[in-house]
Amino acid sequence: MVQVTIDPLSRIEGHYRVNTEVSGEGVITDAQSNALVFRGFERFLQKQDPRDAALLTQRICGVCPVCHSISAANALDELFGVAGEIPKDALVVRNIHQGLNYIASHAAHIYVLWGPDLANPAYHDILMQQGDLGNAVWGELSGRFMPVVNQFDGIRLPPGSSYLGAVMELRRLHDAISLIGGKMPHAVLQHVGGVVYSPTVADIQQLASYVSKTVNFVEAFTLGVSPDTWIENTYRASSPQKAVDFVIGHLQDLLDKSLTNNDFSHSSGWGDVSLFAAFGSELIGEKLLGLPVSMKMDRAGVYPDPAKIGFLSYGVFFKPEKGDGYDPASPADGRVIPSGYMNGSLKLEKFDHQKISESINHSFYIDEKKDRPPWNGVTVPEENPEEIDYTRGSESRYSWAKAPNYNGIPCEVGPLARLMIMGEPLTTGLVKAFQDNGYSPVNNYTRMIARMQEVLVVIPELRKWILQDLEAGAKVAVHTDLSMAKDSEGMGLWEAPRGALGHWVATGSDSMVTLYQAVVPSTWNLAPRNSKGIAGPVEQALIGTKISAAENALGVDYSNPLGILHTVRSYDPCLACAVHTLDRTGKHPAYAIKVV
Ligand code: NFE
Ligand code: MG
């Protein structure tokens, strides 16, 4: 048994440590997910004017400030009793603001945080065993995904073309978000009662132009085919099987050409998604397309026991067709990407916000109760440093993240959960293909494909909101004043790029905040054990995963623990969001393995 600890785990947002125990065969047998900073947003909002929450909570995170401002504004709408009257155009502006941030956030993850893993030296060694084909594929992976600072065999390599292209594209997307939000990060747009700005005709045209430039990037780099063709045959396919057939057929056409000349370049049609879709998966690449080699990412990051995991979506993007107002409880038909809960066997149930609770048994908080719903939540940090102890493994208290549960069960949240719950054809078809072929449908590969596909789900909706639904100069707010928030409660359910996001607020007789709780996607995904001792989603996904590249294809290499890195990064973690401080002791945990 070897203990492998990665601290800090890089190329995620924030400060994160993961402890694992690994068997002599290189299989992870236990894992603890450690969130090691506490920031206290829920505490310093106490006694504040609640209207400030839509501005202040954005400071939780610079990657996803938009979703925090919208969750907060949604909570305030209910707190002030105006959720049923928010003008339709304000809801459309919230959609556009969030839609642009979804694409930017997913692009940052796919290309900048996660993409460089495809250029890991282990894949060089695995691919080089395949002669000319492997050499050509490695040339594409390293040429596209190499990060800015990278050395290989002591030689400094230039950054990848797709990596650099995405960085430029992110800048443009941030310009677009700034146009509508005033700035990015930390916009000044979302407010109780609606939004503070109504786009002009010129702004609407400018927004449309930004989106069409993003679509050009997606065509040239990400897909290698027209996004409209892809959307028509996947997101809008008449059945999940047809969506999968389209993608497999497309990959087969590309391979038929490229296997003769070993040309896997962008100019021969290999978009970044196609390259990953074919070579990332044992089932798709080796079994269905007949490739001699793959990264086998579909074998890693799976849940061993369906009774201990669920999948959750609170629903996101208002439906403009419904007119003014919305239901804060987010019923299943209320949003474009719907709310819902799927159990570990992928059976869909209606979402009920009353089933949400958070446990603190393995977290550094003090409370006489071990589980509380967020509308009755407390956040009191452990003050006694002697109580902070990481040494008893999974028995310890070991994280500043609480452990959220739905009906007592930890849940994966994020693009894969959302698109499975939505019944998005490509995701649903892929899930079925993995099940039919004896694979776990939820794995590191399907998590990444779902994130890529969600960009293609958002693009056509974004174009519709901008070009059809948004009215220049329309009314975008209803009147509110502070007295309306007296002795009240509000709940803001939304979906951040990384998954289910909820803000809960309550006020006293002076209308000032008496309770503020945020339950955030990375808190769900990176949770420690809950009050029943059930491991959090990332912990469960790590257990059983092989530590080194492609199912330990080159043997066990503790110094390059790609199984851990791929699995944790497939959730796109954000620790700034997950733990909304300081090491009071001044003692820092030892660095065991530092991966940069
Ligand atoms: Ni800081 Fe966030 C998103 C939220 S987190 S990135 O998306 O809420 O898990
Ligand atoms: Mg919280």
Side-chain angles (χ1 to χ4, degrees):
M1 184 70 66
V2 176
Q3 185 176 326
V4 178
T5 298
I6 306 182
D7 177 16
L9 197 153
S10 64
R11 275 196 274 111
I12 60 165
E13 199 295 329
H15 314 93
Y16 181 63
R17 170 167 82 166
V18 62
N19 284 334
T20 62
E21 285 174 15
V22 184
S23 72
E25 291 75 47
V27 179
I28 298 166
T29 55
D30 198 7
Q32 295 107 38
S33 167
N34 304 241
L36 295 177
V37 285
F38 169 71
R39 302 192 305 131
F41 274 76
E42 292 161 325
R43 290 175 64 79
F44 64 67
L45 284 161
Q46 305 287 323
K47 300 189 183 135
Q48 300 296 315
D49 185 324
R51 293 171 297 187
D52 290 346
L55 292 172
L56 293 179
T57 59
Q58 289 183 82
R59 274 72 184 171
I60 288 173
C61 180
V63 183
C64 70
V66 174
C67 60
H68 286 292
S69 71
I70 297 179
S71 273
N74 291 351
L76 297 176
D77 291 341
E78 190 182 23
L79 186 83
F80 282 70
V82 295
E85 303 155 37
I86 307 298
K88 177 256 313 168
D89 282 274
L91 302 178
V92 174
V93 170
R94 284 186 187 170
N95 285 355
I96 295 168
H97 195 205
Q98 185 64 75
L100 289 167
N101 181 240
Y102 258 53
I103 298 175
S105 178
H106 287 357
H109 183 252
I110 292 163
Y111 282 107
V112 183
L113 299 174
W114 181 84
D117 279 353
L118 299 176
N120 187 284
Y123 294 128
H124 168 270
D125 297 349
I126 290 170
L127 286 162
M128 283 308 166
Q129 295 174 343
Q130 302 297 331
D132 290 345
L133 173 131
N135 194 6
V137 173
W138 172 252
E140 292 301 325
L141 294 176
S142 56
R144 297 184 191 198
F145 300 115
M146 202 62 86
V148 164
V149 177
N150 202 69
Q151 292 204 348
F152 192 77
D153 281 348
I155 298 167
R156 196 168 172 139
L157 294 175
S161 56
S162 297
Y163 180 104
L164 279 183
V167 170
M168 300 300 288
E169 195 53 42
L170 277 170
R171 192 209 140 107
R172 195 194 338 266
L173 281 161
H174 280 201
D175 284 346
I177 298 170
S178 308
L179 175 72
I180 194 166
K183 63 194 184 76
M184 170 69 198
H186 313 325
V188 287
L189 177 64
Q190 307 296 340
H191 193 67
V192 59
V195 293
V196 301
Y197 146 84
S198 177
T200 62
V201 171
D203 289 348
I204 293 172
Q205 284 170 343
Q206 178 89 39
L207 281 170
S209 153
Y210 279 128
V211 172
S212 75
K213 288 188 173 132
T214 295
V215 169
N216 292 346
F217 172 86
V218 171
E219 175 159 357
F221 285 86
T222 314
L223 290 180
V225 297
S226 141
D228 287 319
T229 304
W230 184 278
I231 292 162
E232 214 44 50
N233 289 286
T234 60
Y235 177 40
R236 303 217 191 281
S238 55
S239 72
Q241 187 61 47
K242 287 217 164 99
V244 173
D245 289 348
F246 168 77
V247 172
I248 303 276
H250 175 62
L251 296 175
Q252 190 67 64
D253 289 347
L254 290 171
L255 274 175
D256 288 346
K257 278 190 293 171
S258 301
L259 287 176
T260 56
N261 60 4
N262 287 321
D263 179 358
F264 294 87
S265 63
H266 273 122
S267 57
S268 67
W270 283 89
D272 300 330
V273 166
S274 298
L275 206 57
F276 173 67
F279 288 92
S281 157
E282 179 185 276
L283 174 65
I284 306 293
E286 296 181 54
K287 299 214 169 135
L288 300 183
L289 295 169
L291 288 171
V293 65
S294 80
M295 299 173 185
K296 300 185 193 293
M297 289 200 202
D298 44 357
R299 289 281 184 198
V302 311
Y303 298 117
D305 182 352
K308 293 184 172 164
I309 191 75
F311 303 90
L312 186 63
S313 165
Y314 293 166
V316 65
F317 302 125
F318 299 109
K319 288 182 173 168
E321 300 69 37
K322 287 181 174 277
D324 296 348
Y326 66 95
D327 181 343
S330 193
D333 66 348
R335 312 243 170 126
V336 175
I337 296 182
S339 65
Y341 171 77
M342 262 186 180
N343 69 15
S345 308
L346 307 190
K347 194 173 159 294
L348 185 61
E349 295 171 19
K350 262 194 194 145
F351 164 69
D352 174 0
H353 70 90
Q354 311 227 37
K355 293 185 172 166
I356 301 165
S357 66
E358 289 187 296
S359 311
I360 57 144
N361 296 54
H362 292 273
S363 313
F364 306 130
Y365 294 101
I366 307 168
D367 188 3
E368 75 275 8
K369 287 195 166 165
K370 297 304 179 197
D371 287 284
R372 280 180 188 266
W375 54 93
N376 186 26
V378 296
T379 304
V380 180
E382 176 59 71
E383 298 248 334
N384 180 1
E386 301 308 317
E387 294 290 322
I388 294 182
D389 160 26
Y390 313 100
T391 59
R392 290 180 296 121
S394 304
E395 301 300 311
S396 308
R397 295 196 298 163
Y398 56 86
S399 183
W400 283 110
K402 298 177 185 174
N405 303 283
Y406 185 85
N407 222 3
I409 300 290
C411 292
E412 172 171 340
V413 297
L416 180 58
R418 276 195 290 264
L419 297 191
M420 288 197 303
I421 287 165
M422 186 186 201
E424 192 279 320
L426 179 60
T427 310
T428 307
L430 272 179
V431 160
K432 182 157 187 312
F434 278 100
Q435 281 171 323
D436 291 350
N437 286 282
Y439 285 73
S440 167
V442 173
N443 55 56
N444 289 344
Y445 176 81
T446 49
R447 249 178 234 117
M448 287 308 302
I449 292 281
R451 188 167 294 112
M452 296 168 188
Q453 179 65 2
E454 197 172 53
V455 173
L456 281 305
V457 170
V458 171
I459 281 173
E461 304 297 342
L462 197 49
R463 287 200 288 215
K464 172 178 168 287
W465 299 326
I466 294 170
L467 294 172
Q468 283 179 32
D469 296 323
L470 193 58
E471 224 177 285
K475 179 178 174 187
V476 289
V478 292
H479 171 78
T480 55
D481 67 65
L482 191 56
S483 66
M484 295 161 74
K486 197 168 158 238
D487 289 320
S488 188
E489 291 178 347
M491 168 175 73
L493 298 176
W494 195 243
E495 284 282 316
R498 286 156 196 73
L501 172 64
H503 285 206
W504 281 262
V505 59
T507 44
S509 56
D510 58 357
S511 296
M512 294 295 129
V513 173
T514 54
L515 171 142
Y516 208 97
Q517 288 285 306
V519 184
V520 176
S522 292
T523 321
W524 284 98
N525 286 333
L526 275 63
R529 265 69 174 170
N530 71 8
S531 59
K532 290 185 273 184
I534 304 176
V538 163
E539 295 178 330
Q540 291 186 39
L542 283 167
I543 294 169
T545 287
K546 300 212 171 73
I547 188 159
S548 306
E551 299 292 282
N552 297 341
L554 300 171
V556 178
D557 177 3
Y558 296 112
S559 71
N560 187 11
L562 262 183
I564 301 176
L565 298 175
H566 282 331
T567 301
V568 172
R569 289 186 183 133
S570 73
Y571 292 81
D572 191 3
C574 175
L575 274 295
C577 280
V579 185
H580 348 274
T581 346
L582 345 167
D583 181 350
R584 295 170 67 100
T585 69
K587 290 181 212 154
H588 295 282
Y591 283 52
I593 293 180
K594 187 171 176 184
V595 179
V596 289

